Amino acid sequence: MMKKNRELLILVIVTLVLLLNLVLGVHSAEKYTRHDFPNDFVFGSGTSAYQWEGAADEDGRAPSVWDTYAHDGYVHGGQNGDVACDGYHKYKVNRNDGRGPVNPKALEFYNNLINELISNGIQPHVTLHNFDFPQALEDEYGGWISRKIIRDFTNYADVCFREFGDRVSYWITINEPNVFSIGGYDQGNGPPHHCSPPFCINKSKRGNSTTEPYLAVHHILLAHSSAVRLYRTTYKEKQNGFVGISVYSFGIFPNTPTENDILASQRARDFLIGWIMEPLLLGDYPTSMKKIAGARIPTFTNRESKLVKGSYDFIGLIHYTNANMADNSVVLENDLRDFSADMAVFMYTPDLYANAEYPVEPWGLIEELNHFKLNYGNPPIFIYENGQRTASNASLQDVSRVNYLKAYIGATLDALRNGSNLKGYIAWSFIDLFELLDGYDSSFGLYYVDQNDPELKRYPKLSAKWYSWFLKGGRSSVEAIELEKDPSHVSNGHFFD
Protein backbone atom coordinates (compact mmCIF):
# COMPACT_ATOMS: atom_id res chain seq x y z
CA MET A 1 0.00 0.00 0.00
CA MET A 2 2.87 2.38 0.81
CA LYS A 3 4.47 1.69 -2.56
CA LYS A 4 1.14 2.34 -4.31
CA ASN A 5 0.70 5.68 -2.52
CA ARG A 6 4.29 6.64 -3.30
CA GLU A 7 3.72 5.94 -7.02
CA LEU A 8 0.56 8.02 -6.92
CA LEU A 9 2.42 10.88 -5.21
CA ILE A 10 5.13 10.76 -7.89
CA LEU A 11 2.45 10.86 -10.59
CA VAL A 12 0.79 13.88 -8.97
CA ILE A 13 4.14 15.69 -8.69
CA VAL A 14 4.92 14.95 -12.33
CA THR A 15 1.48 16.24 -13.30
CA LEU A 16 2.01 19.47 -11.35
CA VAL A 17 5.46 19.98 -12.88
CA LEU A 18 4.01 19.38 -16.33
CA LEU A 19 1.25 21.91 -15.74
CA LEU A 20 3.78 24.44 -14.48
CA ASN A 21 5.90 23.91 -17.58
CA LEU A 22 2.84 24.26 -19.77
CA VAL A 23 1.84 27.54 -18.17
CA LEU A 24 5.37 28.88 -18.43
CA GLY A 25 5.60 27.66 -22.00
CA VAL A 26 2.44 29.49 -23.04
CA HIS A 27 3.77 32.63 -21.39
CA SER A 28 7.03 32.34 -23.32
CA ALA A 29 5.20 32.36 -26.66
CA GLU A 30 3.01 35.38 -25.96
CA LYS A 31 5.08 37.55 -28.31
CA TYR A 32 5.49 35.85 -31.64
CA THR A 33 4.98 36.44 -35.35
CA ARG A 34 4.04 34.30 -38.32
CA HIS A 35 7.76 34.11 -39.09
CA ASP A 36 8.41 32.16 -35.87
CA PHE A 37 6.62 29.23 -37.52
CA PRO A 38 8.17 27.15 -40.33
CA ASN A 39 7.62 28.55 -43.82
CA ASP A 40 5.48 25.56 -44.80
CA PHE A 41 3.33 25.72 -41.67
CA VAL A 42 -0.28 26.22 -42.80
CA PHE A 43 -2.67 28.82 -41.36
CA GLY A 44 -6.29 29.21 -42.36
CA SER A 45 -9.93 29.14 -41.30
CA GLY A 46 -12.73 26.67 -41.93
CA THR A 47 -16.37 26.23 -42.89
CA SER A 48 -18.58 23.19 -43.48
CA ALA A 49 -21.23 22.34 -46.04
CA TYR A 50 -24.54 22.10 -44.16
CA GLN A 51 -23.55 24.95 -41.88
CA TRP A 52 -22.83 27.31 -44.78
CA GLU A 53 -24.52 26.32 -48.05
CA GLY A 54 -28.29 26.75 -47.70
CA ALA A 55 -30.46 26.20 -50.83
CA ALA A 56 -31.65 22.97 -49.24
CA ASP A 57 -34.23 22.09 -51.90
CA GLU A 58 -32.70 23.53 -55.09
CA ASP A 59 -31.15 21.98 -58.20
CA GLY A 60 -31.66 18.37 -57.27
CA ARG A 61 -30.20 18.49 -53.78
CA ALA A 62 -31.72 15.58 -51.83
CA PRO A 63 -32.26 15.66 -48.04
CA SER A 64 -29.46 14.73 -45.66
CA VAL A 65 -29.73 13.43 -42.12
CA TRP A 66 -29.13 16.98 -40.89
CA ASP A 67 -32.11 18.29 -42.86
CA THR A 68 -34.29 15.67 -41.20
CA TYR A 69 -32.88 16.26 -37.73
CA ALA A 70 -33.27 20.04 -37.90
CA HIS A 71 -36.78 19.94 -39.39
CA ASP A 72 -37.88 17.49 -36.73
CA GLY A 73 -37.27 20.34 -34.27
CA TYR A 74 -34.21 19.09 -32.42
CA VAL A 75 -32.16 22.26 -32.86
CA HIS A 76 -32.88 25.08 -30.42
CA GLY A 77 -35.72 27.30 -31.59
CA GLY A 78 -36.52 25.08 -34.56
CA GLN A 79 -33.58 26.52 -36.48
CA ASN A 80 -32.16 24.83 -39.57
CA GLY A 81 -29.65 25.20 -42.38
CA ASP A 82 -32.14 25.75 -45.21
CA VAL A 83 -30.54 29.13 -45.91
CA ALA A 84 -27.53 29.17 -43.54
CA CYS A 85 -25.05 31.68 -45.03
CA ASP A 86 -26.62 31.24 -48.49
CA GLY A 87 -23.38 29.88 -49.85
CA TYR A 88 -25.22 28.27 -52.75
CA HIS A 89 -26.30 31.53 -54.29
CA LYS A 90 -23.03 33.22 -53.49
CA TYR A 91 -20.78 30.31 -54.48
CA LYS A 92 -23.15 27.80 -56.15
CA VAL A 93 -22.82 24.56 -54.22
CA ASN A 94 -24.78 21.33 -54.47
CA ARG A 95 -24.79 17.57 -53.73
CA ASN A 96 -26.46 14.39 -54.97
CA ASP A 97 -28.67 11.85 -53.17
CA GLY A 98 -26.05 9.33 -52.08
CA ARG A 99 -25.68 6.94 -55.01
CA GLY A 100 -25.98 6.85 -58.78
CA PRO A 101 -25.00 9.50 -61.34
CA VAL A 102 -22.93 12.37 -60.00
CA ASN A 103 -24.75 15.70 -59.98
CA PRO A 104 -22.92 17.77 -62.62
CA LYS A 105 -23.85 21.03 -60.88
CA ALA A 106 -22.04 19.83 -57.78
CA LEU A 107 -18.92 19.06 -59.78
CA GLU A 108 -19.15 22.42 -61.51
CA PHE A 109 -19.42 24.32 -58.26
CA TYR A 110 -16.60 22.55 -56.45
CA ASN A 111 -14.30 22.80 -59.45
CA ASN A 112 -15.00 26.53 -59.63
CA LEU A 113 -14.56 26.96 -55.87
CA ILE A 114 -11.28 25.04 -55.77
CA ASN A 115 -9.94 26.98 -58.73
CA GLU A 116 -10.93 30.28 -57.13
CA LEU A 117 -9.19 29.37 -53.89
CA ILE A 118 -6.00 28.35 -55.65
CA SER A 119 -6.00 31.46 -57.84
CA ASN A 120 -6.02 33.51 -54.63
CA GLY A 121 -3.11 31.62 -53.09
CA ILE A 122 -5.25 29.45 -50.80
CA GLN A 123 -4.54 25.73 -50.43
CA PRO A 124 -7.81 23.79 -49.94
CA HIS A 125 -8.02 21.08 -47.29
CA VAL A 126 -11.16 19.02 -47.95
CA THR A 127 -13.25 16.96 -45.52
CA LEU A 128 -15.47 14.35 -47.18
CA HIS A 129 -17.85 13.66 -44.25
CA ASN A 130 -18.69 16.20 -41.56
CA PHE A 131 -21.55 14.84 -39.40
CA ASP A 132 -23.75 14.58 -42.49
CA PHE A 133 -24.70 12.01 -45.10
CA PRO A 134 -27.65 11.40 -47.45
CA GLN A 135 -30.95 10.62 -45.77
CA ALA A 136 -31.56 8.06 -48.53
CA LEU A 137 -28.77 5.86 -47.15
CA GLU A 138 -30.11 6.19 -43.60
CA ASP A 139 -33.56 5.12 -44.81
CA GLU A 140 -32.27 2.26 -46.92
CA TYR A 141 -29.94 0.49 -44.52
CA GLY A 142 -29.33 2.61 -41.41
CA GLY A 143 -26.28 4.55 -42.55
CA TRP A 144 -23.16 3.92 -40.51
CA ILE A 145 -24.54 0.92 -38.59
CA SER A 146 -24.43 -1.11 -41.82
CA ARG A 147 -21.36 -2.46 -43.60
CA LYS A 148 -23.00 -1.39 -46.86
CA ILE A 149 -21.88 2.16 -46.23
CA ILE A 150 -18.22 1.15 -46.62
CA ARG A 151 -18.73 0.56 -50.34
CA ASP A 152 -20.85 3.69 -50.82
CA PHE A 153 -18.38 5.91 -48.97
CA THR A 154 -15.46 4.49 -50.94
CA ASN A 155 -17.28 5.17 -54.21
CA TYR A 156 -18.00 8.73 -53.04
CA ALA A 157 -14.35 9.24 -52.12
CA ASP A 158 -13.36 7.86 -55.52
CA VAL A 159 -15.40 10.55 -57.29
CA CYS A 160 -13.82 13.29 -55.19
CA PHE A 161 -10.27 12.01 -55.63
CA ARG A 162 -10.77 11.63 -59.37
CA GLU A 163 -12.47 14.98 -59.98
CA PHE A 164 -10.59 17.24 -57.58
CA GLY A 165 -7.40 15.44 -56.60
CA ASP A 166 -5.31 17.15 -59.25
CA ARG A 167 -5.69 20.35 -57.18
CA VAL A 168 -6.53 19.09 -53.67
CA SER A 169 -3.54 17.64 -51.82
CA TYR A 170 -5.00 17.20 -48.32
CA TRP A 171 -8.06 15.08 -47.63
CA ILE A 172 -9.87 14.28 -44.38
CA THR A 173 -12.17 11.28 -44.80
CA ILE A 174 -14.41 11.65 -41.73
CA ASN A 175 -14.48 14.47 -39.19
CA GLU A 176 -14.73 13.60 -35.49
CA PRO A 177 -15.98 9.99 -35.71
CA ASN A 178 -15.82 9.80 -31.92
CA VAL A 179 -18.22 12.70 -31.31
CA PHE A 180 -20.37 11.91 -34.35
CA SER A 181 -20.97 8.35 -33.16
CA ILE A 182 -21.67 9.27 -29.53
CA GLY A 183 -24.10 12.04 -30.48
CA GLY A 184 -25.77 10.24 -33.37
CA TYR A 185 -25.93 6.66 -32.08
CA ASP A 186 -25.79 6.81 -28.26
CA GLN A 187 -27.20 10.02 -26.81
CA GLY A 188 -29.38 10.99 -29.76
CA ASN A 189 -28.38 14.66 -29.60
CA GLY A 190 -27.35 14.73 -33.24
CA PRO A 191 -28.38 13.07 -36.51
CA PRO A 192 -29.27 10.40 -37.39
CA HIS A 193 -30.80 10.58 -33.89
CA HIS A 194 -30.45 6.99 -32.76
CA CYS A 195 -30.88 6.38 -29.03
CA SER A 196 -32.61 3.70 -27.01
CA PRO A 197 -34.29 4.03 -23.59
CA PRO A 198 -33.23 4.69 -20.88
CA PHE A 199 -30.34 6.64 -22.41
CA CYS A 200 -32.26 9.08 -24.62
CA ILE A 201 -31.95 12.84 -24.72
CA ASN A 202 -34.61 14.19 -27.15
CA LYS A 203 -37.02 11.23 -26.76
CA SER A 204 -35.70 9.09 -29.58
CA LYS A 205 -36.65 5.44 -29.52
CA ARG A 206 -34.69 4.30 -32.58
CA GLY A 207 -31.47 2.39 -32.43
CA ASN A 208 -29.52 0.67 -29.67
CA SER A 209 -27.26 2.83 -27.50
CA THR A 210 -25.44 -0.17 -26.08
CA THR A 211 -24.05 -1.36 -29.42
CA GLU A 212 -24.53 1.18 -32.22
CA PRO A 213 -21.85 3.73 -31.22
CA TYR A 214 -19.24 0.97 -31.36
CA LEU A 215 -20.67 -0.36 -34.62
CA ALA A 216 -20.71 3.08 -36.28
CA VAL A 217 -17.06 3.81 -35.44
CA HIS A 218 -16.08 0.32 -36.58
CA HIS A 219 -17.61 0.91 -40.00
CA ILE A 220 -16.18 4.44 -40.12
CA LEU A 221 -12.68 3.07 -39.57
CA LEU A 222 -13.21 0.41 -42.24
CA ALA A 223 -14.61 2.97 -44.70
CA HIS A 224 -11.77 5.36 -43.92
CA SER A 225 -9.12 2.68 -44.47
CA SER A 226 -10.85 1.60 -47.67
CA ALA A 227 -10.72 5.16 -49.01
CA VAL A 228 -7.06 5.50 -47.99
CA ARG A 229 -6.20 2.23 -49.73
CA LEU A 230 -8.01 3.42 -52.85
CA TYR A 231 -6.08 6.68 -52.85
CA ARG A 232 -2.72 5.01 -52.31
CA THR A 233 -3.22 2.38 -55.02
CA THR A 234 -4.96 4.53 -57.64
CA TYR A 235 -4.18 8.21 -57.12
CA LYS A 236 -1.15 8.71 -54.89
CA GLU A 237 1.55 8.23 -57.54
CA LYS A 238 0.02 10.83 -59.85
CA GLN A 239 -1.52 13.32 -57.39
CA ASN A 240 1.01 13.10 -54.52
CA GLY A 241 -1.61 13.99 -51.93
CA PHE A 242 -2.22 12.99 -48.32
CA VAL A 243 -5.23 11.45 -46.56
CA GLY A 244 -6.07 11.64 -42.85
CA ILE A 245 -8.91 11.57 -40.34
CA SER A 246 -9.90 14.08 -37.64
CA VAL A 247 -10.39 13.40 -33.92
CA TYR A 248 -12.19 15.58 -31.37
CA SER A 249 -10.15 16.10 -28.22
CA PHE A 250 -10.60 17.83 -24.92
CA GLY A 251 -7.68 18.72 -22.75
CA ILE A 252 -8.21 15.78 -20.39
CA PHE A 253 -7.30 16.16 -16.71
CA PRO A 254 -8.23 14.30 -13.50
CA ASN A 255 -10.74 16.24 -11.43
CA THR A 256 -8.76 15.57 -8.26
CA PRO A 257 -5.27 14.12 -7.67
CA THR A 258 -6.77 10.86 -6.39
CA GLU A 259 -5.93 7.49 -7.87
CA ASN A 260 -9.54 6.89 -8.96
CA ASP A 261 -9.80 10.18 -10.83
CA ILE A 262 -6.39 9.70 -12.46
CA LEU A 263 -7.51 6.27 -13.67
CA ALA A 264 -10.82 7.77 -14.79
CA SER A 265 -8.94 10.34 -16.82
CA GLN A 266 -6.95 7.63 -18.57
CA ARG A 267 -10.10 5.59 -19.19
CA ALA A 268 -11.79 8.64 -20.71
CA ARG A 269 -8.79 9.19 -22.96
CA ASP A 270 -8.97 5.57 -24.15
CA PHE A 271 -12.69 5.85 -24.90
CA LEU A 272 -12.59 9.27 -26.55
CA ILE A 273 -9.27 9.29 -28.40
CA GLY A 274 -7.72 5.82 -28.20
CA TRP A 275 -10.98 4.52 -29.70
CA ILE A 276 -9.87 6.06 -33.00
CA MET A 277 -6.11 6.32 -32.67
CA GLU A 278 -5.17 2.85 -31.45
CA PRO A 279 -6.77 1.00 -34.38
CA LEU A 280 -4.96 3.40 -36.73
CA LEU A 281 -1.66 2.90 -34.92
CA LEU A 282 -1.90 -0.71 -33.71
CA GLY A 283 -4.78 -2.30 -35.60
CA ASP A 284 -7.06 -2.84 -32.58
CA TYR A 285 -9.10 -1.04 -29.94
CA PRO A 286 -7.71 -0.13 -26.49
CA THR A 287 -7.59 -3.03 -24.06
CA SER A 288 -9.68 -1.11 -21.52
CA MET A 289 -12.49 -0.66 -24.06
CA LYS A 290 -12.52 -4.33 -25.05
CA LYS A 291 -12.56 -5.38 -21.40
CA ILE A 292 -15.45 -3.09 -20.47
CA ALA A 293 -17.60 -3.33 -23.61
CA GLY A 294 -16.94 -7.02 -24.18
CA ALA A 295 -18.84 -8.54 -27.09
CA ARG A 296 -20.60 -5.23 -27.79
CA ILE A 297 -17.48 -3.81 -29.43
CA PRO A 298 -16.83 -5.34 -32.88
CA THR A 299 -13.71 -7.35 -33.62
CA PHE A 300 -11.40 -6.65 -36.55
CA THR A 301 -10.52 -9.62 -38.71
CA ASN A 302 -6.80 -10.06 -39.36
CA ARG A 303 -7.23 -8.55 -42.82
CA GLU A 304 -9.25 -5.58 -41.49
CA SER A 305 -6.70 -4.96 -38.76
CA LYS A 306 -3.89 -4.79 -41.34
CA LEU A 307 -5.94 -2.42 -43.53
CA VAL A 308 -6.80 -0.04 -40.68
CA LYS A 309 -3.31 -0.04 -39.15
CA GLY A 310 -1.27 2.77 -40.66
CA SER A 311 -4.15 4.07 -42.80
CA TYR A 312 -3.33 7.75 -42.35
CA ASP A 313 -0.80 10.25 -43.57
CA PHE A 314 -1.73 12.82 -40.92
CA ILE A 315 -4.22 13.41 -38.12
CA GLY A 316 -6.61 16.33 -37.86
CA LEU A 317 -7.10 17.52 -34.28
CA ILE A 318 -10.27 19.33 -33.19
CA HIS A 319 -9.85 21.16 -29.87
CA TYR A 320 -11.72 23.94 -28.09
CA THR A 321 -11.62 23.45 -24.33
CA ASN A 322 -10.62 21.25 -21.39
CA ALA A 323 -12.50 18.64 -19.36
CA ASN A 324 -11.93 17.31 -15.86
CA MET A 325 -12.70 13.63 -15.28
CA ALA A 326 -13.99 12.11 -12.04
CA ASP A 327 -14.47 8.41 -11.40
CA ASN A 328 -17.93 6.91 -11.83
CA SER A 329 -16.93 3.28 -12.10
CA VAL A 330 -19.88 2.20 -9.95
CA VAL A 331 -22.01 2.27 -13.14
CA LEU A 332 -19.98 -0.64 -14.48
CA GLU A 333 -21.95 -2.82 -12.07
CA ASN A 334 -25.08 -2.23 -14.20
CA ASP A 335 -25.91 -4.91 -16.74
CA LEU A 336 -27.44 -2.41 -19.20
CA ARG A 337 -24.94 0.25 -20.29
CA ASP A 338 -24.47 2.58 -23.20
CA PHE A 339 -21.16 3.96 -24.46
CA SER A 340 -21.20 6.86 -21.97
CA ALA A 341 -21.76 4.48 -19.05
CA ASP A 342 -18.95 2.24 -20.26
CA MET A 343 -16.58 5.22 -20.03
CA ALA A 344 -17.61 5.44 -16.35
CA VAL A 345 -16.65 9.05 -15.65
CA PHE A 346 -18.25 12.27 -14.59
CA MET A 347 -17.08 14.78 -17.19
CA TYR A 348 -16.84 18.40 -16.10
CA THR A 349 -16.60 20.68 -19.11
CA PRO A 350 -18.14 23.96 -20.29
CA ASP A 351 -21.73 23.51 -21.48
CA LEU A 352 -21.42 22.49 -25.12
CA TYR A 353 -25.00 23.60 -25.84
CA ALA A 354 -24.69 27.11 -24.43
CA ASN A 355 -23.36 30.22 -26.12
CA ALA A 356 -21.05 31.22 -23.28
CA GLU A 357 -17.41 31.84 -24.04
CA TYR A 358 -14.86 29.09 -23.52
CA PRO A 359 -12.25 29.68 -20.84
CA VAL A 360 -8.83 30.50 -22.26
CA GLU A 361 -6.81 27.49 -21.06
CA PRO A 362 -4.32 26.69 -23.84
CA TRP A 363 -2.25 24.35 -21.68
CA GLY A 364 -4.91 21.71 -22.44
CA LEU A 365 -4.04 21.86 -26.13
CA ILE A 366 -0.33 21.52 -25.33
CA GLU A 367 -1.06 18.53 -23.11
CA GLU A 368 -3.03 16.79 -25.85
CA LEU A 369 -0.36 17.43 -28.45
CA ASN A 370 2.23 16.08 -26.01
CA HIS A 371 0.08 12.99 -25.51
CA PHE A 372 -0.07 12.39 -29.28
CA LYS A 373 3.69 12.83 -29.41
CA LEU A 374 4.45 10.39 -26.61
CA ASN A 375 1.73 7.77 -27.08
CA TYR A 376 0.71 7.80 -30.75
CA GLY A 377 4.04 8.01 -32.53
CA ASN A 378 4.06 11.80 -32.97
CA PRO A 379 2.04 11.77 -36.22
CA PRO A 380 1.86 14.82 -38.49
CA ILE A 381 -1.02 16.93 -37.10
CA PHE A 382 -3.12 19.73 -38.47
CA ILE A 383 -5.25 21.55 -35.89
CA TYR A 384 -8.38 21.75 -38.01
CA GLU A 385 -10.73 23.44 -35.56
CA ASN A 386 -9.97 25.80 -32.69
CA GLY A 387 -11.86 28.95 -31.84
CA GLN A 388 -13.82 31.00 -29.37
CA ARG A 389 -17.58 30.76 -28.97
CA THR A 390 -19.61 33.88 -28.29
CA ALA A 391 -23.29 34.67 -28.31
CA SER A 392 -24.53 35.74 -31.73
CA ASN A 393 -24.83 39.52 -31.96
CA ALA A 394 -24.00 42.37 -34.27
CA SER A 395 -20.91 43.46 -32.33
CA LEU A 396 -17.79 43.39 -34.46
CA GLN A 397 -15.49 44.07 -31.49
CA ASP A 398 -14.86 40.45 -30.48
CA VAL A 399 -11.96 41.16 -28.16
CA SER A 400 -12.38 37.81 -26.39
CA ARG A 401 -11.94 35.94 -29.67
CA VAL A 402 -8.72 37.81 -30.39
CA ASN A 403 -7.39 36.94 -26.93
CA TYR A 404 -8.37 33.28 -27.41
CA LEU A 405 -6.66 33.04 -30.80
CA LYS A 406 -3.52 34.74 -29.48
CA ALA A 407 -3.28 32.26 -26.61
CA TYR A 408 -3.93 29.11 -28.61
CA ILE A 409 -1.73 30.00 -31.55
CA GLY A 410 0.97 30.74 -28.98
CA ALA A 411 0.35 27.31 -27.44
CA THR A 412 0.67 25.77 -30.89
CA LEU A 413 4.07 27.43 -31.27
CA ASP A 414 5.16 26.16 -27.84
CA ALA A 415 4.14 22.60 -28.73
CA LEU A 416 5.94 22.87 -32.05
CA ARG A 417 9.11 24.00 -30.27
CA ASN A 418 8.68 21.08 -27.87
CA GLY A 419 8.83 18.55 -30.68
CA SER A 420 5.18 18.05 -31.69
CA ASN A 421 4.90 17.22 -35.38
CA LEU A 422 2.54 20.08 -36.16
CA LYS A 423 1.85 21.09 -39.76
CA GLY A 424 -0.89 23.70 -39.51
CA TYR A 425 -3.49 25.65 -37.56
CA ILE A 426 -7.01 26.28 -38.92
CA ALA A 427 -9.25 28.64 -36.93
CA TRP A 428 -12.94 27.84 -36.60
CA SER A 429 -14.67 29.51 -38.26
CA PHE A 430 -14.10 31.79 -41.24
CA ILE A 431 -17.65 33.12 -41.10
CA ASP A 432 -20.64 32.94 -38.73
CA LEU A 433 -22.42 29.66 -39.53
CA PHE A 434 -25.34 27.48 -38.56
CA GLU A 435 -23.66 25.84 -35.58
CA LEU A 436 -24.47 22.15 -35.23
CA LEU A 437 -25.13 22.31 -31.49
CA ASP A 438 -27.23 25.46 -31.18
CA GLY A 439 -27.99 26.86 -34.61
CA TYR A 440 -27.59 30.62 -34.91
CA ASP A 441 -27.54 31.27 -31.16
CA SER A 442 -23.76 31.10 -30.96
CA SER A 443 -20.99 32.47 -33.13
CA PHE A 444 -17.45 31.38 -33.94
CA GLY A 445 -16.92 33.45 -37.07
CA LEU A 446 -14.16 35.87 -37.88
CA TYR A 447 -16.73 37.49 -40.15
CA TYR A 448 -20.22 38.51 -39.02
CA VAL A 449 -23.25 37.59 -41.16
CA ASP A 450 -26.24 39.88 -40.81
CA GLN A 451 -29.13 37.41 -40.73
CA ASN A 452 -31.59 40.33 -40.83
CA ASP A 453 -30.22 41.52 -44.16
CA PRO A 454 -31.88 39.86 -47.21
CA GLU A 455 -28.43 39.78 -48.83
CA LEU A 456 -26.82 38.25 -45.70
CA LYS A 457 -24.06 40.84 -45.86
CA ARG A 458 -20.71 39.96 -44.29
CA TYR A 459 -18.61 42.22 -42.06
CA PRO A 460 -15.07 41.61 -40.75
CA LYS A 461 -14.82 41.43 -36.98
CA LEU A 462 -11.88 42.58 -34.90
CA SER A 463 -10.64 38.98 -34.90
CA ALA A 464 -10.49 38.97 -38.71
CA LYS A 465 -8.38 42.12 -38.61
CA TRP A 466 -6.07 40.69 -35.94
CA TYR A 467 -5.66 37.39 -37.79
CA SER A 468 -4.90 39.27 -41.00
CA TRP A 469 -2.36 41.40 -39.11
CA PHE A 470 -0.70 38.30 -37.70
CA LEU A 471 -0.64 36.39 -41.01
CA LYS A 472 1.06 39.35 -42.70
CA GLY A 473 3.86 39.29 -40.13
CA GLY A 474 2.47 41.50 -37.37
CA ARG A 475 3.57 40.74 -33.82
CA SER A 476 0.92 38.84 -31.86
CA SER A 477 1.31 41.08 -28.83
CA VAL A 478 -0.65 43.89 -30.48
CA GLU A 479 -3.58 44.15 -28.11
CA ALA A 480 -7.15 43.62 -29.23
CA ILE A 481 -8.22 46.75 -27.41
CA GLU A 482 -5.48 48.65 -29.26
CA LEU A 483 -6.83 47.45 -32.59
CA GLU A 484 -10.32 48.39 -31.50
CA LYS A 485 -9.27 51.96 -30.77
CA ASP A 486 -6.99 52.37 -33.78
CA PRO A 487 -7.78 50.07 -36.75
CA SER A 488 -4.88 51.62 -38.69
CA HIS A 489 -2.71 48.92 -37.12
CA VAL A 490 -4.16 46.50 -39.67
CA SER A 491 -5.37 46.45 -43.25
CA ASN A 492 -8.99 46.60 -44.32
CA GLY A 493 -9.72 43.25 -42.68
CA HIS A 494 -9.39 40.96 -45.68
CA PHE A 495 -7.25 37.90 -45.01
CA PHE A 496 -5.48 37.53 -48.30
CA ASP A 497 -5.53 40.94 -49.99
Side-chain angles (χ1 to χ4, degrees), residues 63 86 114 167 191 211-212 233 275 296 309 339 370 447 460:
D86 203 21
I114 290 167
R167 288 148 294 153
T211 59
E212 287 190 0
T233 57
W275 190 19
R296 290 181 289 120
K309 183 179 179 179
F339 177 90
N370 192 56
Y447 280 75

Side-chain angles (χ1 to χ4, degrees), residues 288-308:
S288 63
M289 294 189 73
K290 294 194 294 182
K291 181 178 179 181
I292 291 172
R296 290 181 289 120
I297 191 167
T299 301
F300 292 109
T301 66
N302 289 338
R303 179 178 180 275
E304 289 170 345
S305 177
K306 291 178 181 178
L307 289 174
V308 172

Side-chain angles (χ1 to χ4, degrees), residues 20 54 70 86 95 167 173 256 270 285 314 320 420 436 459 468:
L20 179 60
D86 203 21
R95 303 190 218 181
R167 288 148 294 153
T173 55
T256 68
D270 286 347
Y285 297 110
F314 65 92
Y320 291 94
S420 288
L436 299 184
Y459 300 89
S468 177

Side-chain angles (χ1 to χ4, degrees), residues 193-197 200 202-208:
H193 197 218
H194 288 208
C195 179
S196 60
C200 299
N202 296 334
K203 301 180 180 177
S204 169
K205 294 184 179 178
R206 298 187 303 153
N208 185 334

